[in-house]
Amino acid sequence: MSVLDEIVAGVRADLAVRQAEVSEAALRQRLADVSPALDPMPAFRAPGLSVIAEVKRRSPSKGDLAEIPDPAALAGAYAAGGAAAISVLTEQRRFSGSLADLEAVRAAVPTPLLRKDFMVTEYQVLEARAAGADLVLLIVAALDDATLRGLHDLARGLGMTVLVEVHDEPETERALAAGAQLVGVNARNLKTLEVHPEVFGQLVKVLPDDVVKVAESGISGVDDAARYAAEGADVVLVGEALVKDGDPTAAVAAMRSSGGGVR
């Protein structure tokens, strides 16, 4: 069993507990009280480099990264630095995240929010929107084509933006076939956790011009962000480098400016 398979198995087990506590019908009722989803795409498409700044306590590859006792305060620092969106890890077992973190950040900042998790069911998409998320992540490697398209269409129907993550050319073709307009190229192989920074430069060549391109993983600082921008990234998604930085506001601003223009 790969690392990704193990993570998804844990996600499904935790999901079953939440589903037993809150029905899908109850989630759908909550949607009536949630403000319309914010659209990050105009910012992502603007000249320069956008930053999706991540609230991330730990990872399977690096272990504990930062305690983050107040995710809302960290999100506020990211927003002050000009983050175009903020990603909040909600997976509990491997990343020490929760929906409570997402809700706390939603209450604190007006920035578009990404629920970063391993989405495998419609229930999770509804959870994300009910908690105030504006974007969801769909990982092609974790989904069959029917599920990928179904979750993509559900999220779009809820007014959300979908970040579709790929790792190789076949996955990229599947993402585009599902209608993806925001594609994240993850340099980290989720089956082995190894990072291959050259993957972005390879896959960006097969992505259409009208698709917004996001570079994920392997970004330890401004130089990496600038390299990805030079290779064609519109957006970088950064977690570890920001949560470990003593000045996340300045770090976000520096990464934005590294792309040849400030958004």
Side-chain angles (χ1 to χ4, degrees):
M1 181 180 287
S2 71
V3 174
L4 177 60
D5 291 334
E6 292 175 355
I7 292 174
V8 170
V11 164
R12 288 187 180 278
D14 294 338
L15 174 61
V17 174
R18 297 198 305 276
Q19 286 178 304
E21 295 174 346
V22 181
S23 70
E24 181 174 321
L27 275 182
R28 290 185 179 276
Q29 288 179 345
R30 291 181 187 177
L31 297 181
D33 298 323
V34 179
S35 298
L38 302 173
D39 183 3
M41 294 296 276
F44 289 168
R45 292 187 184 279
L49 184 67
S50 288
V51 176
I52 301 176
E54 194 156 80
V55 177
K56 183 177 185 179
R57 290 188 175 89
R58 72 184 317 274
S59 74
S61 61
K62 297 292 184 68
D64 292 335
L65 301 174
E67 291 186 6
I68 312 182
D70 188 349
L74 178 59
Y78 288 158
I86 295 171
S87 170
V88 182
L89 259 300
T90 61
E91 197 279 336
Q92 182 176 1
R93 298 188 181 208
R94 299 295 189 100
F95 295 89
S96 298
S98 69
L99 281 167
D101 286 345
L102 179 63
E103 291 168 344
V105 172
R106 174 75 292 156
V109 298
T111 310
L113 300 186
L114 166 67
R115 180 187 182 183
K116 184 86 173 291
D117 210 319
F118 297 79
M119 314 292 280
V120 291
T121 70
E122 291 187 354
Y123 185 92
Q124 292 168 289
V125 176
L126 296 172
E127 273 186 326
R129 183 80 277 268
D134 308 290
L135 304 90
V136 290
L137 174 73
L138 298 182
I139 302 172
V140 173
L143 304 167
D144 60 41
D145 286 340
T147 305
L148 173 62
R149 184 177 292 275
L151 296 182
H152 184 278
D153 291 349
L154 172 61
R156 294 297 297 137
L158 294 171
M160 306 180 80
T161 301
V162 184
L163 173 58
V164 183
E165 180 176 295
V166 303
H167 302 83
D168 56 32
E169 190 164 340
E171 289 182 8
T172 303
E173 293 172 354
R174 291 177 58 205
L176 295 175
Q181 286 294 299
L182 180 65
V183 175
V185 176
N186 194 343
R188 187 179 301 282
N189 184 320
L190 293 184
K191 297 179 181 178
T192 65
L193 299 184
E194 296 175 347
V195 176
H196 302 281
E198 71 279 3
V199 170
F200 181 85
Q202 295 166 359
L203 297 187
V204 73
K205 298 173 184 176
V206 301
L207 289 170
D209 291 342
D210 64 343
V211 168
V212 174
K213 303 157 186 74
V214 184
E216 304 175 32
S217 297
I219 304 169
S220 60
V222 170
D223 290 345
D224 294 323
R227 185 189 73 251
Y228 277 135
E231 292 179 350
D234 301 299
V235 186
V236 288
L237 192 160
V238 189
E240 178 184 350
L242 295 179
V243 299
K244 295 172 72 173
D245 194 288
D247 189 346
T249 296
V252 169
M255 287 189 184
R256 289 173 59 218
S257 63
S258 73
V262 176
R263 296 182 182 220

